[in-house]
Amino acid sequence: MQSYTIGQAARLLGVSPDTARRWADAGRITTHRDEGGRRLVDGRDLAAFSVELARSEGADEEPPHTSVRNAFPGIVTAIKLGDVAAQVEIQAGPHRLVSLLTREAVEELGLEVGMEATARVKSTNVHVDRV
């Protein structure tokens, strides 16, 4: 499973690295250390925390106004595979994006929960890029 540094996790959560470190110190984000001593966050843990964070902190806020031609870098929080179609959820900061695409596309991209991905929104379409 992919792991993220505190800086990478902060970027995906839409906060500063200092905030992510404080959350880790307080036990809100579970971390472990690599051989070099860097603090890492497991991708699945980060995915779950990003959903929890968006629900708790963004519940009363209005979403920001944005152009339809935006890229939303985030983390894959859920994948539902059917025989032909698939549903992919990405938590990009406070934004939860859901894209319907083919199962084949999900498999070709190698998407998994906890993996970094970018949802690209244009008009009524959402395109998912593996990062």
Side-chain angles (χ1 to χ4, degrees):
M1 172 50 55
Q2 185 166 349
S3 293
Y4 298 91
T5 65
I6 289 289
Q8 291 170 323
R11 183 176 52 80
L12 292 169
L13 295 170
V15 299
S16 73
D18 286 337
T19 297
R21 276 194 273 298
R22 282 193 295 276
W23 287 343
D25 291 343
R28 288 187 68 190
I29 302 174
T30 303
T31 63
H32 62 279
R33 299 224 182 236
D34 67 5
E35 302 81 30
R38 295 183 310 164
R39 290 168 80 171
L40 300 176
V41 181
D42 178 73
R44 288 189 184 273
D45 292 340
L46 184 59
F49 181 76
S50 69
V51 171
E52 174 190 325
L53 182 65
R55 286 184 182 149
S56 66
E57 294 187 357
D60 298 330
E61 297 177 16
E62 271 191 52
H65 298 284
T66 59
S67 159
V68 294
R69 295 182 184 201
N70 281 312
F72 293 88
I75 188 165
V76 177
T77 57
I79 298 174
K80 296 178 185 169
L81 294 175
D83 291 338
V84 176
Q87 178 179 311
V88 176
E89 292 184 26
I90 296 175
Q91 191 70 45
H95 308 290
R96 177 180 166 262
L97 296 113
V98 179
S99 180
L100 300 176
L101 54 161
T102 64
R103 178 186 182 117
E104 181 181 12
V106 171
E107 291 170 348
E108 284 180 6
L109 288 170
L111 293 177
E112 296 178 9
V113 171
M115 177 178 283
E116 189 174 354
T118 300
R120 299 196 184 275
V121 179
K122 181 178 178 190
S123 187
T124 60
N125 298 314
V126 177
H127 302 267
V128 176
D129 298 332
R130 179 176 174 181
V131 178

